Amino acid sequence: MRGGAVAVVGGSIAGSAFAGAAARLGAERVVVLERSPGRLEDRGLGICTHNDRFAELVDAGHLAPDTRRHRLTVRRWTARGPAGEGDGRHGRGRTLWLQPFPFHSHHWAVLWQTLREQAPESVEYRPGTTVTAVGDDRDGAWTEQADGTRTPYDLVIGADGYRSVVRAAVCPQAEPEYAGYVCWRGSYDSARLDALPGGAAAWPEEECATVCYPGGQVVLYRIPGLAPGSTQVNWVFYAPTPHWLRLDGPTAVAAGTLTDEQLDAMREFAARQLPPYWAGVIALTPRERTLLQPVYDLATPRRTAGRLLIGGDAATVVRPHNTSGAVKALQDAHAFEQAGRRLGGDTWAPLLAAYDLERSAAGLELVNLGRTLGRAQVTGAPDWSAMDEPAMAEWWRGQLGGGGGFGGHALGRAG
Ligand SMILES: Cc1cc2nc3c(=O)[nH]c(=O)nc-3n(C[C@H](O)[C@H](O)[C@H](O)COP(=O)(O)OP(=O)(O)OC[C@H]3O[C@@H](n4cnc5c(N)ncnc54)[C@H](O)[C@@H]3O)c2cc1C
């Protein structure tokens, strides 16, 4: 048993999973320090997990088999039809390809709730706690909170996302790199779709839509609503950098803070570029459910330094095209826990070294795949008007380059 006190900075997907893992490995105290004051339920965003990756994480005890989720089976790639041919049935565009899509979608808050429930009751959550610095010196690791207090720990785990304070201490040079485009995101109750010609019925529930336009795409799918039985629409719109966005460092524009002018410009852009049904889906999104995330990526050269460790997006930021971020975060926590079980002992040091070795390589591979997918689908996208089903299938195979990794690698696979 390792014992001691462990701080986990950040209580989202990675933080909840690492907290559970540290408690199961024998930490006497596990404290999750989370900046957001609420229950984080307002993060009504969608996450997809590959069915095989989800099943592995259930078998490993990280997720509950009955986690509420929405089944997706097919990814319909579409684009505007050539001039004169119209935009297909209900204005949904010309179908380029029906790709098998063995994924489920999740509401972020529902997934997070499941993770919280899987963690031992002894884990202590402290919402509304911002960590401003961490360190590791002769007396041990420590966190410093926004109120100036400093608390010693035996281990500090950074699960504080892409702008990680813990990463700044583990590898100060590593900064997320802007990919050159943004994603607008939105979500709302699916009942609103009835306002569109063809209504909700025009878009089958199990279909993930990928709507391509010159220089980008929109990915749209349903996710479970917070009320059992309900669903929400969730979309991610890859688009050029808006002229007003300041990119002095990693940033995002939170839901509810976009101006009318910014929102109108995005909706007009969608109306110009997309088949009308999908531009309509975006236009239905309330302001308080629309946000903007510039796309970044980052692979850190190492994940540990002394008694500090990073995981999830704090350690590796993968462009969202991979649909692998949540799975990657859970696999990080799994690798940490497995290394602890395998190595035994009564200190954290050997397991940190093993974790670093295994997950740094796996993270880099996913980052590289995300870059390839981003280039193929956004910055170097083909002429969609020339694409048909065989061309799309060939184009997709070229992106994967014979390897896997879309949706994340199998659990336990060496990096
Ligand atoms: C557009 C987009 C679409 C995506 N789609 C998918 C998908 O379909 N499937 C998928 O698997 N993944 C997807 N992802 C990625 C996924 O959301 C993340 O990779 C995953 O949630 C892991 O997040 P995390 O817990 O490491 O970090 P985060 O979710 O960023 O959590 C970090 C936490 O730390 C807290 N925090 C930050 N700083 C401090 C501090 N100083 N002190 C205290 N607390 C702090 C934050 O409040 C937050 O709660 C997507 C990402 C994007 C941007």
Side-chain angles (χ1 to χ4, degrees):
M1 295 285 274
R2 284 169 194 85
V6 176
V8 181
V9 185
S12 175
I13 304 281
S16 301
F18 268 99
R24 286 188 293 271
L25 282 176
E28 276 152 32
R29 259 182 78 221
V30 179
V31 185
V32 179
L33 308 168
E34 167 55 50
R35 184 175 53 194
S36 298
R39 280 167 47 83
L40 305 186
E41 282 195 344
D42 53 335
R43 297 186 186 177
L45 293 176
I47 297 266
C48 285
T49 54
H50 189 286
N51 292 346
D52 294 345
R53 303 295 78 80
F54 181 86
E56 290 161 1
L57 288 164
V58 167
D59 286 347
H62 296 287
L63 291 170
D66 57 355
T67 304
R68 207 149 51 76
R69 58 202 196 278
H70 181 87
R71 181 167 181 256
L72 299 165
T73 56
V74 67
R75 185 175 190 181
R76 183 188 289 271
W77 295 75
T78 60
R80 293 205 94 144
E85 273 191 25
D87 273 314
R89 201 164 142 72
H90 303 303
R92 295 206 315 145
R94 177 176 76 96
T95 297
L96 304 174
W97 187 27
L98 288 175
Q99 180 187 25
F101 196 65
F103 282 77
H104 276 80
S105 65
H106 306 264
H107 188 296
W108 182 91
V110 176
L111 191 63
W112 174 73
Q113 190 61 40
T114 309
L115 284 166
R116 289 279 307 258
E117 284 160 11
Q118 295 292 108
E121 273 186 21
S122 58
V123 173
E124 187 189 328
Y125 281 82
R126 287 200 203 144
T129 310
T130 299
V131 173
T132 50
V134 304
D136 181 31
D137 51 34
R138 244 194 352 234
D139 300 328
W142 49 266
T143 64
E144 197 166 279
Q145 285 73 241
D147 62 6
T149 54
R150 195 177 266 209
T151 318
Y153 290 98
D154 296 280
L155 175 67
V156 172
I157 296 175
D160 47 344
Y162 72 115
R163 287 182 280 200
S164 172
V165 166
V166 185
R167 185 181 65 235
V170 172
C171 33
Q173 281 80 35
E175 269 286 297
E177 199 178 310
Y178 181 50
Y181 52 96
V182 300
C183 54
W184 298 83
R185 299 183 77 177
S187 64
Y188 56 86
D189 195 298
S190 306
R192 278 181 174 243
L193 291 175
D194 285 331
L196 296 176
W203 176 14
E205 300 251 341
E206 295 189 356
E207 206 170 276
C208 168
T210 302
V211 187
C212 305
Y213 69 92
Q217 60 176 218
V218 194
V219 183
L220 312 94
Y221 51 89
R222 290 186 180 77
I223 60 174
L226 284 177
S230 66
T231 60
Q232 294 184 6
V233 168
N234 181 82
W235 55 262
V236 181
F237 184 6
Y238 297 97
T241 314
H243 67 87
W244 50 265
L245 187 66
R246 295 284 157 265
L247 285 161
D248 304 332
T251 188
V253 185
T257 63
L258 289 157
T259 65
D260 284 344
E261 209 182 359
Q262 291 164 349
L263 279 177
D264 286 347
M266 181 272 289
R267 289 173 184 152
E268 278 161 25
F269 181 71
R272 275 198 309 278
Q273 300 289 350
L274 307 177
Y277 185 89
W278 302 113
V281 171
I282 287 175
L284 285 172
T285 316
R287 171 215 289 272
E288 67 277 9
R289 303 295 297 271
T290 311
L291 60 113
L292 178 80
Q293 290 175 322
V295 176
Y296 293 101
D297 45 36
L298 163 78
T300 47
R302 60 182 188 164
R303 289 175 165 233
T304 60
R307 283 158 285 196
L308 307 175
L309 168 154
I310 48 177
D313 281 9
T316 341
V317 182
V318 178
R319 297 189 197 181
H321 312 286
N322 287 29
T323 16
S324 62
V327 163
K328 164 176 69 64
L330 296 174
Q331 291 184 344
D332 282 350
H334 178 76
F336 167 75
E337 188 170 348
Q338 287 306 104
R341 292 196 188 292
R342 209 168 52 238
L343 297 170
D346 55 8
T347 67
W348 295 99
L351 97 81
L352 297 195
Y355 162 81
D356 192 358
L357 189 68
E358 179 179 341
R359 294 307 290 170
S360 294
L364 180 60
E365 225 181 303
L366 287 177
V367 170
N368 286 336
L369 177 60
R371 287 181 179 153
T372 303
L373 298 182
R375 270 194 297 272
Q377 297 178 27
V378 181
T379 49
D383 172 6
W384 303 110
S385 69
M387 299 297 270
D388 57 12
E389 188 151 340
M392 289 292 291
E394 184 59 33
W395 169 76
W396 180 261
R397 275 194 296 275
Q399 291 171 59
L400 297 190
F406 179 64
H409 290 295
L411 191 67
R413 164 192 171 278

